[in-house]
Amino acid sequence: MPSKLRSSLLPRLLLLSLLLLLFYSLLLLRRPIASSNLVSPPPCDLFSGRWVFNPDTPKPLYDETCPFHRNAWNCLRNKRENTDVINSWRWVPNGCGLSRIDPTRFLRMMRNKNVGFVGDSLNENFLVSFLCILRVADPSAVKWKKKKAWRGAYFPKFNVTVAYHRSVLLSKYQWQPKKSSAEANQDGVKGIYRVDVDVPANEWINVTSFYDVLIFNSGHWWGYDKFPKETPLVFYRKGNPINPPLDILQGFEVVLQHMVFYIQREVPEKTLKFWRLQSPRHFYGGDWNQNGSCLLEKPLEESQLDLWFDPRNNGVNKEARKINQIIKNELQNKKIKLLDLTHLSEFRADAHPAIWLGKQDAVAIWGQDCMHWCLPGVPDTWVDILSELILTNLKTE
């Protein structure tokens, strides 16, 4: 081929190649990209999963010598059977892992911050686990009961306080006896517990600004076993009785509305706020005052959960899901995060103190404890989840 012809074709071929390359690039830009490349995977759901038995599970981070223990929950000291088996089950969330809390890392990241629990004794159960775990990172921790706290601890190495304010109804309530025994004998009512639905209890009002993280709960006292017809709850608003009178769950709903409103209005917006849903009970064969028992050796199967807890079955443990539904409805679109520990705890009928309560006549007087949890035990998993959520939220601030 003559050199002149070759020299005239070469620029044309280069131009054609560039045009083809440009056309192909435009086609790629117009082509839809797979959605998996655009959307990050959903966050891990720590509350859904299964319990996996592993005899090689690391031992709990604390033992019976922790100074923050409450005697009735100290199952190691009380020689409860199968405590090693109880703590060989590990919660495995669906589709992801859950790491055990690193107490030193947690306290280091929480330096100069405070964590508060407000509610009933199940939040205290939660707190005791938390304190015993965190003490691993700071053995110089001391008991702390300031600012109307029921119990707590101060970790001087990190300047962190973790405490619990006992407030079983969250609202202010007080006993008002009948004026005379003759008056009480007429209808069998000995007196009433007056509940001011719009007034937070003294135990936690005006102290929430001290805390950077708050975990609320209420629910276990909202039953007729705690407040029978002889000593009922009577609900007041703006100082006057509510008419028509409310039943106990209606009262809970109204109290919840007012307490959530107060929290939204009065607790600093920067405070990280959680509401822990119900911790399920596991009474079998009767309620706590009807010889109910929980002497089980392994967790329940998934197929058993509805039989135990679905309110439609009217079992003795039905209140957790009923209370939870009221809470979920009220907290929709609120700046309070749900700490839904109910489902994972429903499995663990094997992990309560039961008859090992640390006092000789405790079972004869109070019955088995199938409500609170052995420590070490299930609340340690609650701590793993809570600490993960706290640190995740701190990182996103």
Side-chain angles (χ1 to χ4, degrees):
M1 181 182 290
S3 59
K4 187 174 181 180
L5 181 60
R6 283 201 306 268
S7 62
S8 64
L9 283 176
L10 188 59
R12 295 177 185 177
L13 289 172
L14 286 172
L15 179 61
L16 181 61
S17 299
L18 287 172
L19 287 172
L20 287 172
L21 182 61
L22 178 62
F23 179 70
Y24 183 67
S25 300
L26 289 172
L27 282 177
L28 285 178
L29 287 173
R30 291 172 62 87
R31 184 180 175 185
I33 300 173
S35 60
S36 60
N37 293 330
L38 289 174
V39 182
S40 59
C44 176
D45 180 3
L46 297 174
F47 307 122
S48 299
R50 67 195 188 281
W51 288 95
V52 176
F53 183 77
N54 181 1
D56 297 324
T57 297
K59 289 185 177 181
L61 292 171
Y62 61 97
D63 59 21
E64 68 272 22
T65 64
C66 171
F68 304 118
H69 262 303
R70 182 165 163 177
N71 184 53
W73 308 332
N74 191 343
C75 289
L76 293 174
R77 177 165 289 171
N78 297 337
K79 308 298 182 184
R80 192 211 193 281
E81 296 176 0
N82 293 330
T83 52
D84 55 337
V85 175
I86 287 172
N87 289 298
S88 293
W89 292 90
R90 189 76 184 156
W91 178 249
V92 179
N94 291 331
C96 58
L98 173 64
S99 300
R100 174 185 272 188
I101 181 177
D102 179 340
T104 301
R105 174 174 175 266
F106 179 83
L107 284 171
R108 188 184 298 125
M109 294 188 71
M110 289 294 291
R111 188 181 298 278
N112 303 323
K113 292 182 170 63
N114 305 310
V115 180
F117 291 77
V118 180
D120 58 36
S121 59
L122 271 301
N123 253 9
E124 183 182 2
N125 208 179
F126 198 171
L127 169 100
V128 171
S129 168
F130 210 177
L131 298 184
C132 288
I133 287 172
L134 294 181
R135 183 178 175 270
V136 173
D138 187 359
S140 63
V142 294
K143 293 180 180 180
W144 189 92
K145 292 183 69 173
K146 300 177 182 178
K147 296 186 179 291
K148 300 184 280 189
W150 181 264
R151 67 162 61 200
Y154 174 64
F155 299 87
K157 186 176 175 181
F158 302 90
N159 191 30
V160 170
T161 297
V162 182
Y164 161 69
H165 296 258
R166 179 177 169 84
S167 180
V168 298
L169 303 184
L170 295 182
S171 280
K172 180 181 179 181
Y173 81 105
Q174 58 185 339
W175 170 244
Q176 294 182 343
K178 283 286 185 71
K179 294 179 181 178
S180 68
S181 57
E183 188 180 1
N185 290 334
Q186 289 178 1
D187 56 8
V189 176
K190 301 174 184 177
I192 66 164
Y193 284 97
R194 169 177 168 161
V195 182
D196 288 279
V197 300
D198 49 354
V199 181
N202 292 332
E203 288 78 9
W204 67 279
I205 194 171
N206 298 328
V207 300
T208 53
S209 60
F210 175 72
Y211 295 104
D212 302 277
V213 181
L214 281 165
I215 302 97
F216 295 93
N217 97 291
S218 186
H220 291 284
W221 281 64
W222 293 90
Y224 292 106
D225 58 325
K226 297 289 188 183
F227 300 103
K229 61 183 180 179
E230 297 83 9
T231 55
L233 297 178
V234 177
F235 300 97
Y236 284 65
R237 182 162 41 207
K238 295 182 179 179
N240 298 308
I242 296 177
N243 283 307
L246 306 176
D247 68 29
I248 201 162
L249 285 184
Q250 290 172 331
F252 173 67
E253 190 169 358
V254 174
V255 164
L256 188 62
Q257 291 168 0
H258 283 281
M259 295 303 101
V260 168
F261 178 77
Y262 175 86
I263 293 166
Q264 295 272 93
R265 186 189 69 207
E266 298 294 336
V267 178
E269 188 172 354
K270 65 180 179 62
T271 303
L272 180 57
K273 296 173 277 287
F274 293 94
W275 198 289
R276 183 184 61 73
L277 294 183
Q278 289 298 90
S279 171
R281 311 180 315 156
H282 289 93
F283 289 99
Y284 180 78
D287 213 329
W288 66 273
N289 55 355
Q290 300 167 335
N291 296 318
S293 177
C294 52
L295 297 174
L296 287 86
E297 296 183 353
K298 63 179 183 178
L300 300 177
E301 301 289 340
E302 179 112 33
S303 59
Q304 296 176 280
L305 299 185
D306 282 349
L307 181 63
W308 277 69
F309 302 108
D310 193 320
R312 292 172 294 185
N313 293 322
N314 204 34
V316 296
N317 306 294
K318 62 182 179 293
E319 86 291 336
R321 293 189 184 182
K322 290 175 71 174
I323 291 287
N324 278 358
Q325 194 55 56
I326 296 172
I327 297 170
K328 289 177 181 179
N329 290 341
E330 179 56 34
L331 290 184
Q332 284 185 355
N333 303 316
K334 303 295 194 304
K335 293 182 179 179
I336 302 174
K337 300 178 185 298
L338 282 178
L339 190 59
D340 190 357
L341 302 173
T342 305
H343 177 65
L344 71 89
S345 305
E346 284 183 343
F347 291 91
R348 299 307 306 272
D350 59 313
H352 297 282
I355 61 175
W356 293 274
L357 301 177
K359 291 186 178 180
Q360 186 174 357
D361 299 323
V363 175
I365 297 170
W366 300 107
Q368 292 190 30
D369 187 350
C370 303
M371 179 188 307
H372 302 100
W373 301 94
C374 277
L375 295 178
V378 170
D380 300 346
T381 297
W382 298 358
V383 170
D384 292 339
I385 292 173
L386 176 63
S387 61
E388 180 73 21
L389 294 175
I390 291 174
L391 295 185
T392 298
N393 279 276
L394 286 177
K395 289 175 186 176
T396 59
E397 286 182 353

